[in-house]
Amino acid sequence: MNKSLPLSVAAGALALSALPFLSSAEARPAAAPAMGDIVDVAVGAGRFDTLVAAVTAAGLDGALKGPGPFTVFAPTDDAFAQLPPATLQFLLDPANVDTLTDILTYHVVPGSLLAGDVLAKSALDTINGQRLDVSLQNGLPFVDGAQIVVTDIQASNGVIHVIDSVMTPSFTHIPRTADQAGTFTTLLAAVKAAGLAGVLQDGGPFTVLAPTDAAFAALPPGLLQELLKPENKQRLINILTYHVIDGRVFSDQAEAAGQATSLSGKTLNFTSSNGMLFVEGAEIVAPDIDASNGVIHVIDAVLLPPAS
């Protein structure tokens, strides 16, 4: 996934509880079930003071004291201390509460997932809307580059896993994410010509099936130039909106559903073969690129909608 402003800090191998792949000499005793909610447990632990202050500043403490259940990946005070002081000061400024909320909700997953549940997945959908990558590196569990150092701290409305760094979602909207990739010059020019740049920048969330410059170059000679003429603007809009789905649809969700309705109103069909995912015959060559207002799947051909 595409993530901006990475803040992960390397940490030594710390023991985990309730993970079967660790030896008994490395494992910590499992924490006793807590009677309090997630916020109460975090306060009582004594090493999440910054996290609790941030949750309170964002006005999320009431939600995290609610019924849930929630799975919280909780950075310690030491993890927050790795941030530049100016960054933490910026986040705790009431004027920047939206940014703080985006970061904090990126650490919360719906449901109560124990360590085994987390490690059984390759990605987790957060309340923020973006996804966390789950991986094992040298036998140690990581989530979006943050090491999970203590697991399965029980609360009445969920579970806490302790991580050693603050995770940051993407703060880059869809057009800028595409621009930074450097391989969507033609797509961005077409989006601008169709008057859709503002929608893809400020609206959403959207799922964008993004043809590369090479995909546009493979169109029949003269077609692109014809589409970019002002008199063909509606036709261009119809083609581009055929590449956009309302809401975030990650690749595994698209594969499971088999179909999705594009913003043009036309149906998109997803198929898989030999471990590859296709949409209307175009291969999804790079799936699940996060943006602040959606997700991008890179495709190797331009999709031309069927005639009405």
Side-chain angles (χ1 to χ4, degrees), residues 51 54-55 58-61 63-64 70-73 75 80 97-110 124-132 144 166-171 248 292:
L51 175 62
V55 165
L60 296 174
D61 49 330
L64 290 178
F70 305 106
T71 299
V72 176
F73 294 93
F80 276 100
V97 66
D98 289 344
T99 301
L100 178 61
T101 299
D102 284 340
I103 291 175
L104 293 175
T105 55
Y106 191 59
H107 291 72
V108 183
V109 174
L124 299 168
D125 294 327
T126 68
I127 292 177
N128 168 282
Q130 298 182 45
R131 274 190 167 182
L132 298 170
D144 256 36
V166 178
M167 303 181 295
T168 308
S170 172
F171 287 102
R248 283 186 173 91
S292 60

Side-chain angles (χ1 to χ4, degrees), residues 187 189-197 199-200 216 224 226-245 262-266 302-305:
L187 174 61
V191 165
K192 184 176 180 180
L196 296 175
V199 175
L200 292 179
F216 275 99
L224 179 60
E226 192 70 19
L227 290 172
L228 292 176
K229 291 180 179 179
E231 60 266 29
N232 295 322
K233 181 177 179 179
Q234 187 56 54
R235 186 182 177 195
L236 179 61
I237 290 173
N238 292 342
I239 291 174
L240 292 176
T241 54
Y242 188 54
H243 292 73
V244 183
I245 302 166
S262 69
L263 289 188
S264 72
K266 305 288 187 180
V302 179
L303 308 178
L304 298 177

Side-chain angles (χ1 to χ4, degrees), residues 128-147:
N128 168 282
Q130 298 182 45
R131 274 190 167 182
L132 298 170
D133 294 318
V134 179
S135 63
L136 280 175
Q137 301 176 29
N138 298 320
L140 298 173
F142 286 79
V143 57
D144 256 36
Q147 185 181 337

Side-chain angles (χ1 to χ4, degrees), residues 34 36-52 55 64 72 74-75 77 153-155 160:
D37 57 53
I38 285 172
V39 176
D40 293 337
V41 171
V43 170
R47 56 172 172 164
F48 301 110
D49 292 348
T50 309
L51 175 62
V52 172
V55 165
L64 290 178
V72 176
D77 291 335
I153 300 175
Q154 299 287 338
I160 298 172

